[in-house]
Amino acid sequence: MARMIHSMIRVRDEAASVRFYDTAFGLKVADRLVFDSFTLIYLSNAEQTFELELTVNHDRTTPYDLGDGYGHLAVSVADVDAEHARLAAAGLSPLAVKDMSCGARFVGRFFFITDPDGYRIEVLQRGAPGRFL
Amino acid sequence: MARMIHSMIRVRDEAASVRFYDTAFGLKVADRLVFDSFTLIYLSNAEQTFELELTVNHDRTTPYDLGDGYGHLAVSVADVDAEHARLAAAGLSPLAVKDMSCGARFVGRFFFITDPDGYRIEVLQRGAPGRFL
């Protein structure tokens, strides 16, 4: 059966992206493959085997067009309010913490933060009463 | 520490997307939340806790602009050639199987397939000699 193992986004500045994902989510470089025209960087941490793959095209000089189709990568954390405070103190400008319900069902507590290329990442409270693991 | 738990994409036709991800990757609806203006569908299977989240905006009538920033979701399978044959037989038009090396290092064997909205999914051979789990 198919197993989801990574998500790939194209980024402009390798150092800035690696720094952001480390500071924000503790994601470290698990592998780095340098080709003639592009470099692939795989980020992960001990929480899962899933990786975030960054592609850096060496000749790219303009910002990527993020479109309106792709939404976001989501992460869960043990204490979403503490994590929001930590990221705000680190100068990463997280948006406000919000609660989401669907009718009478509580779904989760979360905030969004934006990476150096403008991709949004959703940070969700892990565990009950929300649905996110 | 942050744990990557899902990736979200916006899709046009819920039924077509659910059918595609089930047929192609055995991903089933784990949860479905209907709001006034949008529906969220979480897809997963027994291979991992990571989910693919589909957002269906009820008033969306035009195709999504996929841009050139987001790349793909990747899955691994036990036998990439057998999976390619199965998906071709199912009429899902996978692209050709390719091997990727970086210098002398073999990285992986893979193909791409496209979902109903045009998002590409990379299907990779799981296990050695490639790097993908």
Side-chain angles (χ1 to χ4, degrees):
Chain A
M1 193 184 294
R3 177 186 304 157
M4 292 182 273
I5 58 169
H6 69 245
S7 178
M8 187 278 267
I9 56 173
R10 299 178 184 91
V11 303
R12 289 279 303 283
D13 181 332
E14 177 179 345
S17 293
V18 167
R19 192 166 54 242
F20 171 83
Y21 283 99
D22 185 3
T23 302
F25 310 119
L27 292 167
K28 308 287 186 185
V29 177
D31 210 349
R32 183 171 183 275
L33 302 174
V34 181
F35 297 84
D36 287 345
S37 60
F38 62 96
T39 297
L40 305 180
I41 303 105
Y42 295 90
L43 303 179
S44 195
N45 65 25
E47 288 286 339
Q48 71 280 286
T49 57
F50 193 89
E51 297 178 315
L52 177 62
E53 179 187 12
L54 307 179
T55 294
V56 178
N57 287 307
H58 301 163
D59 64 354
R60 182 78 181 200
T61 56
T62 54
Y64 284 103
D65 168 15
L66 303 190
D68 65 0
Y70 174 63
H72 58 261
L73 180 70
V75 303
S76 69
V77 295
D79 184 333
V80 73
D81 292 284
E83 203 59 13
H84 186 275
R86 186 183 71 81
L87 295 175
L92 296 179
S93 305
L95 299 184
V97 178
K98 295 185 178 179
D99 288 318
M100 175 168 63
S101 292
C102 184
R105 178 181 170 193
F106 180 72
V107 177
R109 183 166 173 82
F110 70 96
F111 63 88
F112 277 97
I113 191 168
T114 303
D115 90 349
D117 290 270
Y119 298 102
R120 302 206 316 164
I121 300 98
E122 186 178 21
V123 182
L124 285 148
Q125 176 65 45
R126 184 181 305 153
R131 71 171 301 282
F132 299 100
L133 298 176
Chain B
M1 193 184 293
R3 177 185 305 156
M4 292 182 274
I5 57 169
H6 69 245
S7 178
M8 188 277 267
I9 55 173
R10 299 178 184 89
V11 303
R12 289 281 301 284
D13 182 333
E14 178 179 346
S17 293
V18 167
R19 191 166 54 242
F20 171 83
Y21 284 99
D22 185 2
T23 302
F25 310 120
L27 292 167
K28 309 286 187 186
V29 177
D31 210 349
R32 183 172 183 276
L33 302 173
V34 182
F35 298 84
D36 287 346
S37 60
F38 63 97
T39 297
L40 306 180
I41 303 105
Y42 294 89
L43 303 179
S44 195
N45 65 24
E47 288 286 340
Q48 72 280 286
T49 57
F50 193 89
E51 297 178 316
L52 177 62
E53 179 186 13
L54 308 178
T55 294
V56 178
N57 288 307
H58 301 161
D59 64 354
R60 182 77 181 202
T61 56
T62 53
Y64 284 104
D65 167 16
L66 303 191
D68 65 359
Y70 174 62
H72 59 260
L73 180 70
V75 303
S76 70
V77 295
D79 184 335
V80 72
D81 292 284
E83 202 60 12
H84 186 274
R86 185 183 72 80
L87 295 175
L92 295 179
S93 305
L95 300 184
V97 179
K98 295 185 178 179
D99 288 318
M100 175 168 64
S101 292
C102 184
R105 177 182 171 192
F106 179 74
V107 178
R109 183 166 173 81
F110 69 97
F111 63 88
F112 278 97
I113 191 168
T114 303
D115 90 348
D117 290 271
Y119 297 102
R120 301 205 316 164
I121 300 98
E122 185 177 22
V123 182
L124 285 147
Q125 176 64 44
R126 185 183 304 153
R131 71 170 301 281
F132 299 101
L133 296 177

